[in-house]
Amino acid sequence: MELKSFIEVQPDSHFPIQNLPYGVFKPEPSAQPRPGVAVGDYVLDLSRIASAGLFDGPLLKGSDCFLQPTLNKFAGMGRLAWKEARATIQNYCHNKVEMLVPVEVGDYTDFFSSLHHASNCATIFRGKENLIPQNWFYLPIAYHGRASSILVSGTDISQSQFLLILVSVRGQRFPAGDSPPSYGPTDMLDFELEMAAIVGPGNELGKPIDVNKAADHIFGLVLLNDWSARDIQHWEYVPLGPFLGKSFGTTISPWIVTLEALEPFACDAPKQDPPPMPYLTEKRSRKNYDISLEVQLKPVGLEKSCLITKTNFKYFRYWTLMQQLAHHTVNGCNLRPGDLLGTGTLSGPEPDSLGCLLEITWHGQKPLSLNNGTTRQYLEDGDEVVFTGFCKGDSYKIGFGTCSGKPFDQSYMEIFTCHRPDQRKGRHLESSSSRKQILATLSQQETPNPNRRQFTEFLTFHRMGMLSAKTLEISSPFPFSKKCQQLLNCNIRISLPFTPANPTNKIRIAPLIPCLKSCLQPADATPKIKPIELKTVSPAQT
């Protein structure tokens, strides 16, 4: 019998009555987080349904699992409880809510399971003669990610922790030629198109999960963006895998789509050669899901986004969700409700099916052409990346909504660099806050980074999308407000030490000018203060 909802649902909605994905939301900013289910453009408040006693089945009656601020307790109750809730859900809706991370993620593991992605990465980083490692075909390779930096899609970057994380994406970068590695903000920020399984019931320490029972331990799936700093990753990943190049932030979509909702779209997974070991051999057919996936990139300053990737979950995953989970526990490792298992980048064989800019641009060698002649090698300030995923049924969709993120906000700078004045003509003060948003130059400078725009005898604040670029002569009094001048003056004069062994030193200025817009006066305003006098001091004076 065809399922119908008393709530009007548009045919192209990701959330028809057949889906019922779980999430956590706030009906208003001051409210407490609570579990909910999406139906069309509305959210069913499960805490209200539970408080009214409408969950009256044997497993959920009297349970407080929907009175929690996360879904961990409900996820840990298992498949029978999930089915009972699915059959009961009805009534009480919201259409304007704030979505949150739906579970408390205790641990995050990211796998490496796309044959095409593995092959492309091996060629880019190690050359055609270095093929995919032999072990890749025998076990699901993974690394342990950072659970503390997992963020929900659509986070308002300018008002969130996300801003503070991403402006600090810096580390040691891959050396050029015979030079030593450099240190600083990444110039190669990338996305990775992935999905992820949310663990339901866990397992006790020392008791592995059988691959044929692994599906009972998977609550559902979400979209996942594994943000990556390629220049940092390239230098650090041998021999133990990614660290600072990935740990700064991971974005997931807010709605968890259950395996039951995806069951009509199950399909056979690709054949494995060589055959997997017995503990990874599934008695029933190996299962993938027919999920269409797309990546849209909206370049900063443009109104329209560009479709840059179109692929499908069913084609390109060598290792299934069940094999990944079983392998994770084969040594006795215990999983817990809410743990996150990333699938790995979902790349296909065609140029329009690649899952990251590393592959799309072949590590920057083939720039990607976008709208209005814009090109990208890697992400720039203010670019917005949006993932979508859905299954197409008869007259309905089972969707995941969107997984979106915008890497940087131009209203924040936190690090200044001072070079020894005797190394270059004149003095130089450079903002090295991530991705070169703000640059202040007091003299000519030669730099190995061609992407950094240089200005002579000018101070420039550039905030894309919020303020037009303002170029001000340094020889004239600065048109800053008093508050802005005091912040600059106070922080810069703390000290600018240097040593012969390390002529480049950094001073942390946090938070420096949280909102430049409120501090800057119009360019034609009458100057009210004198220029800031920059002073370099020796270590003995600090």
Side-chain angles (χ1 to χ4, degrees), residues 172-197:
Q172 292 189 26
R173 299 169 297 198
F174 196 82
D178 296 330
S179 302
S182 59
Y183 170 81
T186 179
D187 286 320
M188 299 181 180
L189 187 73
D190 199 358
F191 66 85
E192 286 192 347
L193 172 62
E194 301 191 27
M195 300 194 73

Side-chain angles (χ1 to χ4, degrees), residues 45 52 97 125 164 177 222 225 237 254 320 332 334 351 372 456 462 465 477 483 521:
D45 188 332
V97 298
F125 286 136
L164 302 181
V222 295
N225 185 346
Y237 84 106
T320 68
N334 56 318
N372 298 334
T456 301
H462 187 40
K483 176 182 177 182
Q521 294 180 350

Side-chain angles (χ1 to χ4, degrees), residues 417-444:
T417 302
C418 182
H419 297 271
R420 288 182 61 178
D422 58 347
Q423 287 193 320
R424 295 186 177 90
K425 179 182 178 181
R427 299 171 186 242
H428 171 69
L429 179 67
E430 175 196 345
S431 160
S432 62
S433 69
S434 62
R435 310 284 296 176
K436 305 92 62 179
Q437 317 80 310
I438 303 168
L439 185 64
T441 303
L442 300 184
S443 65
Q444 291 183 346

Side-chain angles (χ1 to χ4, degrees), residues 350-392:
E350 303 300 330
D352 63 353
S353 65
L354 301 176
C356 61
L357 288 174
L358 172 70
E359 297 173 83
I360 294 172
T361 70
W362 210 249
H363 202 16
Q365 297 179 38
K366 302 175 182 179
L368 172 67
S369 296
L370 302 171
N371 293 342
N372 298 334
T374 303
T375 62
R376 287 291 185 271
Q377 294 173 306
Y378 285 99
L379 296 175
E380 295 291 342
D381 295 353
D383 287 348
E384 184 176 15
V385 180
V386 181
F387 296 173
T388 56
F390 62 88
C391 307
K392 183 65 174 177

Side-chain angles (χ1 to χ4, degrees), residues 111-343:
F111 285 89
F112 186 49
S113 294
S114 163
L115 179 62
H116 300 287
H117 179 64
S119 176
N120 289 335
C121 288
T123 302
I124 290 171
F125 286 136
R126 298 189 295 276
K128 292 183 179 180
E129 67 280 2
N130 294 297
L131 301 178
I132 300 173
Q134 183 183 17
N135 62 352
W136 191 90
F137 295 95
Y138 284 89
L139 58 89
I141 291 178
Y143 72 93
H144 190 262
R146 186 71 183 171
S148 62
S149 54
I150 291 173
L151 303 157
V152 71
S153 169
T155 301
D156 187 346
I157 297 173
S158 64
Q159 298 179 6
S160 74
Q161 191 179 19
F162 200 20
L163 166 65
L164 302 181
I165 293 170
L166 289 182
V167 299
S168 300
V169 182
R170 53 177 49 81
Q172 292 189 26
R173 299 169 297 198
F174 196 82
D178 296 330
S179 302
S182 59
Y183 170 81
T186 179
D187 286 320
M188 299 181 180
L189 187 73
D190 199 358
F191 66 85
E192 286 192 347
L193 172 62
E194 301 191 27
M195 300 194 73
I198 304 290
V199 174
N203 60 301
E204 295 181 20
L205 183 65
K207 294 185 178 181
I209 295 174
D210 188 295
V211 67
N212 296 293
K213 298 179 180 179
D216 293 335
H217 294 263
I218 297 176
F219 181 35
L221 303 183
V222 295
L223 302 171
L224 183 147
N225 185 346
D226 181 25
W227 300 98
S228 302
R230 298 302 188 188
D231 43 1
I232 298 173
Q233 179 189 358
H234 190 186
W235 177 236
E236 72 179 4
Y237 84 106
V238 176
L240 294 179
F243 184 31
L244 301 183
K246 287 179 176 285
S247 62
F248 56 88
T250 304
T251 303
I252 64 173
S253 54
W255 295 109
I256 304 171
V257 180
T258 64
L259 295 191
E260 185 171 359
L262 295 173
E263 186 59 33
F265 307 96
C267 56
D268 290 339
K271 183 181 178 180
Q272 290 181 301
D273 184 20
M277 292 185 179
Y279 80 94
L280 290 173
T281 300
E282 300 174 72
K283 293 179 181 179
R284 298 184 292 272
S285 61
R286 299 173 62 250
K287 185 181 294 185
N288 269 357
Y289 297 94
D290 184 2
I291 304 172
S292 297
L293 298 167
E294 295 182 354
V295 179
Q296 298 271 349
L297 175 59
K298 183 180 178 183
V300 62
L302 297 182
E303 294 184 0
K304 294 184 178 180
S305 59
C306 312
L307 177 65
I308 62 173
T309 293
K310 191 172 184 178
T311 186
N312 194 296
F313 185 78
K314 68 180 179 181
Y315 294 126
F316 312 123
R317 295 194 63 256
Y318 189 83
W319 297 100
T320 68
L321 298 169
M322 282 57 77
Q323 288 176 313
Q324 288 176 335
L325 188 143
H327 181 71
H328 202 311
T329 67
V330 73
N331 67 341
C333 172
N334 56 318
L335 299 178
R336 295 172 293 186
D339 283 355
L340 189 71
L341 307 181
T343 59

Side-chain angles (χ1 to χ4, degrees), residues 3-59:
L3 291 175
K4 292 185 178 181
S5 171
F6 68 91
I7 299 172
E8 183 179 356
V9 179
Q10 298 299 319
D12 61 347
S13 172
H14 281 207
F15 307 126
I17 194 68
Q18 293 89 343
N19 191 346
L20 299 182
Y22 293 95
V24 170
F25 73 101
K26 290 181 180 180
E28 55 187 31
S30 60
Q32 294 297 313
R34 64 201 61 191
V37 163
V39 178
D41 294 330
Y42 293 84
V43 178
L44 304 179
D45 188 332
L46 299 184
S47 69
R48 295 292 293 268
I49 295 176
S51 297
L54 297 180
F55 289 110
D56 56 0
L59 297 177

